[in-house]
């Protein structure tokens, strides 16, 4: 059974310098036709997999920028979702948003269409850094939009922050965190910058023109992040995510639990019936495939048992609770320690893992080098 649904909206009014997701400039795009195509894809897949979506817990609108759509387009998209997906058991319905695009009309359209969680890309409260990132919003946009969202009835609001940015100092990062906490939100995500291929930052990096912080400074920023979150009453529940009790992201937990979810839209990824798949990326090719009544698949991969086990460890160890010994054995029919007893013991001895007999999890020290720990669980 699929636990979640991801819907990709690939349109942006501004392309950020660090973003490598499937996206296009909004202007002159067949936006309305695309929304109808997403509806047709949902209809097609639900028909092909009867009962698969009966118990979905979450829906997530991502991008691109879902709030690049007009209020009328948002309403049409949400109407199609309600028409083709069983939403009676959905507990979390999220939408990504840009602070300078989220008008009151759009907020009302999202709220009336069932969306109950907003995830806003704030990234920094230093406006010079925002310009370096290619962001178009100001701090005032953030304050005003959050005020409007609360007035419309949104309580579950999260913002994304970034550290390890070009030229970013510890003082700038601490100031961003302090301003973020003044908003008194129930959820925060914070990610270190990764310079991805096919981005403006990657081009600058290749030319030696991207002044990135040292690894030591980035580690200090992460340490400050964890300390500040704890001081402000937000519990870390995943490497990059912090929340008040009851506000942890259910949708993201589906990914970290390595459970099944559908991906709809151009360039979307999904995991259904043991297959990881990706959709066609170019908008017009995606629409053409849908209009021919065929799934717009670019690639599919049947995940082997070895790959499932590796993913269970990589993803599960991102969570603060870690990987459950009982759940692992139930899922794979073999005890976790029968596969990794030496690896776990060595990482425990090195202070990177904690084994409490029920779960194995990253220690605080291990969170700083999570990727290196994860690689130890390759079969």
């Amino acid at each position: 059974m699929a636990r979640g649904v991801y819907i990709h909206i690939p349109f942006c009014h501004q392309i950020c310098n660090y973003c490598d997701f499937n996206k296009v400039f909004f202007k002159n795009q067949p936006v309305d036709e695309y929304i109808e195509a997403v509806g047709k894809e949902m209809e097609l897949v639900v028909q092909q997999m009867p009962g698969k979506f009966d118990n979905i817990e979450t829906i997530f609108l991502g991008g691109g920028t879902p709030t690049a759509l007009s209020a009328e387009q948002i309403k049409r998209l949400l109407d199609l979702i309600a028409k083709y997906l069983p939403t009676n058991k959905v507990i979390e319905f999220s939408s990504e948003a840009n602070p300078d695009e989220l008008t009151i009309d759009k907020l009302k359209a999202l709220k009336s269409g069932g969306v109950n969680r907003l995830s806003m890309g704030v990234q920094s409260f230093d406006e010079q850094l925002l310009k370096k990132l290619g962001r178009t919003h100001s701090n005032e946009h953030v304050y005003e939009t959050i005020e409007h969202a609360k007035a419309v009835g949104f309580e579950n609001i999260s913002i994304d922050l970034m550290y390890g940015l070009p030229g970013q100092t510890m003082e700038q990062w601490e100031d961003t965190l302090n301003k973020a906490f003044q908003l008194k939100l129930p959820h925060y995500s914070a990610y270190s910058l990764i310079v991805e291929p096919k981005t403006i930052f990657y081009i600058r990096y290749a030319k030696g023109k991207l002044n990135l912080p040292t690894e030591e400074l980035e580690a200090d920023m992460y340490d400050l992040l964890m300390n500040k979150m704890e001081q402000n009453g937000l519990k870390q529940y995943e490497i990059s995510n912090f929340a008040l009790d009851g506000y942890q992201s259910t949708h993201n937990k589906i990914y970290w639990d390595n459970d099944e979810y559908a991906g709809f839209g151009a360039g979307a990824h999904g995991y259904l019936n043991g297959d990881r798949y990706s959709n066609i990326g170019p908008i017009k090719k995606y629409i053409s495939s849908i209009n021919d009544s065929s799934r717009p698949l670019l690639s599919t991969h049947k995940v082997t048992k070895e790959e499932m086990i590796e993913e269970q460890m990589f993803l599960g160890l991102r969570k603060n609770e870690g990987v459950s010994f009982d759940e692992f054995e139930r899922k794979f029919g073999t005890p976790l320690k029968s596969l990794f007893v030496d690896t776990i013991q060595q990482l425990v001895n090195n202070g990177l893992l904690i084994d409490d007999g029920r779960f194995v999890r990253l220690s605080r020290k291990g969170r700083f080098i999570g990727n290196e720990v994860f690689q130890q669980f390759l079969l």
Side-chain angles (χ1 to χ4, degrees):
M1 299 291 286
R3 285 183 61 197
V5 167
Y6 172 83
I7 299 171
H8 192 71
I9 308 301
F11 307 110
C12 293
H13 290 295
Q14 170 70 24
I15 304 297
C16 299
N17 295 339
Y18 54 86
C19 179
D20 71 331
F21 294 125
N22 187 49
K23 76 280 182 188
V24 293
F25 280 110
F26 187 94
K27 191 175 181 181
N28 299 323
Q29 293 294 331
V31 180
D32 294 323
E33 192 178 353
Y34 176 81
I35 292 170
E36 299 303 318
V38 170
K40 290 178 184 177
E41 185 189 3
M42 290 188 286
E43 180 184 23
L44 184 65
V45 173
V46 170
Q47 287 176 349
Q48 290 177 352
M49 302 181 187
K52 190 72 175 176
F53 301 95
D54 287 353
N55 296 307
I56 56 170
E57 301 169 33
T58 71
I59 300 172
F60 192 101
L61 307 180
T65 317
T67 53
L69 304 180
S70 69
E72 292 74 18
Q73 289 166 338
I74 289 171
K75 183 179 185 304
R76 178 57 181 162
L77 174 64
L78 296 176
D79 285 346
L80 289 169
I81 292 169
K83 181 177 180 179
Y84 294 120
L85 294 178
T87 58
N88 57 308
K89 295 183 181 178
V90 170
I91 57 176
E92 181 184 282
F93 194 156
S94 300
S95 178
E96 291 182 344
N98 275 349
D100 54 338
E101 294 175 349
L102 205 46
T103 63
I104 291 178
D105 284 348
K106 292 182 185 182
L107 283 163
K108 289 180 177 177
L110 289 166
K111 185 70 175 169
S112 63
V115 174
N116 58 19
R117 182 176 185 271
L118 297 176
S119 178
M120 291 175 50
V122 172
Q123 319 311 359
S124 176
F125 284 93
D126 185 288
E127 299 202 356
Q128 291 303 311
L129 285 176
L130 288 175
K131 289 178 182 177
K132 287 184 181 180
L133 293 171
R135 304 291 290 173
T136 55
H137 72 265
S138 66
N139 291 350
E140 287 305 312
H141 285 127
V142 177
Y143 303 140
E144 184 177 86
T145 299
I146 289 176
E147 183 179 329
H148 289 164
K150 289 179 178 178
V152 167
F154 284 99
E155 296 178 1
N156 195 350
I157 302 172
S158 176
I159 62 172
D160 289 350
L161 303 172
M162 296 180 71
Y163 60 96
L165 302 176
Q168 187 180 31
T169 65
M170 182 64 83
E171 290 73 24
Q172 287 172 315
W173 177 228
E174 184 167 13
D175 181 66
T176 278
L177 289 173
N178 289 337
K179 285 184 168 68
F181 294 133
Q182 289 171 6
L183 298 171
K184 299 190 181 305
L185 299 178
H187 190 285
Y188 297 86
S189 299
Y191 305 97
S192 64
L193 174 69
I194 299 175
V195 180
E196 301 282 8
K198 300 180 182 179
T199 63
I200 292 173
F201 272 178
Y202 186 82
I203 295 169
R204 292 177 185 170
Y205 179 76
K207 293 179 178 179
K209 295 182 178 180
L210 200 66
N211 178 29
L212 296 175
T214 63
E215 288 184 8
E216 292 78 11
L217 178 54
E218 188 174 312
D220 288 343
M221 289 177 171
Y222 185 52
D223 189 56
L224 179 69
L225 169 70
M226 290 190 288
N227 290 336
K228 285 274 191 180
M229 288 289 174
E230 186 175 0
Q231 290 165 12
N232 283 273
L234 293 133
K235 294 181 182 177
Q236 185 173 20
Y237 68 100
E238 189 268 348
I239 284 178
S240 302
N241 286 273
F242 307 80
L244 300 178
D245 286 341
Y247 287 92
Q248 295 85 353
S249 170
T250 306
H251 186 83
N252 286 343
K253 192 171 185 296
I254 291 171
Y255 300 151
W256 305 321
D257 287 343
N258 203 22
D259 286 336
E260 291 197 342
Y261 63 96
F264 297 115
H269 293 248
Y271 182 32
L272 293 173
N273 300 325
D275 291 331
R276 290 205 179 273
Y277 67 89
S278 61
N279 277 351
I280 294 167
I283 310 298
K284 291 181 180 178
K285 287 185 178 180
Y286 168 82
I287 293 173
S288 177
S289 177
I290 291 295
N291 288 340
D292 290 337
S293 298
S294 61
R295 284 187 68 187
L297 294 174
L298 175 65
S299 65
T300 60
H301 172 68
K302 179 64 71 175
V303 182
T304 67
K305 184 176 180 180
E306 281 191 352
E307 289 170 333
M308 288 182 188
I309 288 171
E310 291 172 350
E311 290 174 353
Q312 190 78 11
M313 299 307 297
F314 297 169
L315 296 168
L317 285 172
R318 291 189 64 88
K319 300 179 295 181
N320 269 34
E321 70 178 21
V323 177
S324 162
F325 290 119
D326 288 345
E327 176 65 14
F328 186 95
E329 187 167 356
R330 183 197 65 76
K331 204 167 187 176
F332 300 109
T334 187
L336 174 57
K337 285 192 175 178
S338 70
L339 297 174
F340 298 116
V341 63
D342 291 337
T343 299
I344 290 173
Q345 191 57 56
Q346 182 179 355
L347 290 168
V348 168
N349 292 343
N350 291 339
L352 300 174
L353 282 185
I354 295 169
D355 174 2
D356 67 6
R358 296 177 58 246
F359 289 84
V360 62
R361 64 176 64 88
L362 288 176
S363 66
R364 184 182 174 101
K365 178 182 175 182
R367 291 175 210 161
F368 287 88
I369 54 170
N371 288 335
E372 293 177 32
V373 175
F374 303 156
Q375 290 172 14
Q376 303 306 308
F377 292 93
L378 288 170
L379 292 171

